[in-house]
Amino acid sequence: MALISDSRELLRRIDVFSDLQGADLERLAALLQEVSYRREEIILHKEDPGDSLFIIRQGRVKVVLYGDDGREVILSILRDGDFFGEMSLLDGEPRSAFVVAMEDSCAYILKRDAFLDTLMERPMIALKILGELSRRLRLADDKIGSLALLDVYGRIAGALLQLARTEGKVEGDKVIIDSRPTQQEIASMAGASRETVSRVLSDLAKSGLISMEGKRVIITRDLHELRDVHGERVSTT
Ligand code: CMP
């Protein structure tokens, strides 16, 4: 009973499901199964068949690809209230990427048939899912542009901007990222080495664009200045 009321509350808080009410909300909440993962545990394997949608109740996960040499590229970081695993359900193809827990996390799972029935019965939910997929495509476009067009300095500034956009809190003219990924993870987001990330972060701190307090990053001046660092290095060749 506690689980159903927890999952009902979670569904209410998630934008894409927030229109569900009454019996519809109860029905969907009753179909969710809770699962827990330890930090570093692989939740989804690329190329596996997919039969479920995941909604993160608590924690953070990374969507990643691995090269043959084990190098990691982080495509996205998802957190409380985000969903993943929808792509295989929508196109019937295998999982498009690995999803790995970045911290101890728990999620609710919704089976394929229940997810697809919900989309067909509720066009508003389908539209909101399309909206979220468009947002993710924009972020992916930014990342492709960054990786192809910017030098490493711009790519790392771009990764910080992406974190600011997805999880930053605005306080006056500052944007605060409460729990930044590790330097190795920022390196995997920006296609850089950990050593370069360390050097660029301290350069940005010295020039007063950011300040760092442990895991906190404060973008101290106007966010546009950081974006300028990102943009002015776009190669024209
Ligand atoms: P699926 O392909 O079923 O399994 C892997 C999941 O990772 C995928 O569904 C999406 O939910 C998620 N995913 C893949 N690529 C991205 C991306 N670029 N940004 C955010 N999430 C992604």
Side-chain angles (χ1 to χ4, degrees), residues 73-221:
V73 178
I74 298 184
L75 301 175
S76 180
I77 294 176
L78 303 172
R79 59 194 60 73
D80 304 21
D82 286 334
F83 61 81
F84 59 90
E86 76 296 341
M87 288 170 61
S88 294
L89 304 191
L90 292 170
D91 67 9
E93 296 287 328
R95 296 298 189 191
S96 58
F98 292 87
V99 178
V100 180
M102 297 175 79
E103 52 193 61
D104 290 353
S105 301
C106 69
Y108 286 115
I109 293 184
L110 183 62
K111 291 286 176 198
R112 168 190 224 113
D113 288 350
F115 175 60
L116 295 180
D117 287 349
T118 307
L119 294 190
M120 282 188 283
E121 284 162 20
R122 296 269 163 181
M124 199 53 186
I125 294 181
L127 279 176
K128 285 189 169 177
I129 298 243
L130 285 175
E132 174 59 17
L133 293 184
S134 300
R135 195 186 70 86
R136 290 183 187 182
L137 186 56
R138 282 175 195 278
L139 291 171
D141 286 352
D142 275 357
K143 186 178 282 281
I144 294 167
S146 221
L147 291 175
L149 299 171
L150 297 182
D151 66 10
V152 74
Y153 204 94
R155 297 203 299 274
I156 292 168
L160 284 181
L161 279 175
Q162 194 153 84
L163 287 168
R165 233 182 278 149
T166 53
E167 61 184 276
K169 287 186 304 197
V170 178
E171 282 185 16
D173 57 355
K174 297 180 183 158
V175 181
I176 298 173
I177 301 163
D178 260 332
S179 179
R180 72 160 165 79
T182 62
Q183 291 190 353
Q184 181 56 58
E185 285 159 348
I186 295 176
S188 298
M189 293 171 78
S193 67
R194 196 201 58 74
E195 293 73 17
T196 307
V197 169
S198 166
R199 182 168 46 78
V200 171
L201 289 181
S202 68
D203 280 358
L204 289 172
K206 270 190 224 137
S207 59
L209 284 168
I210 63 170
S211 71
M212 289 182 290
E213 294 163 7
K215 281 270 171 196
R216 258 179 143 215
V217 179
I218 303 168
I219 298 177
T220 38
R221 300 223 299 270

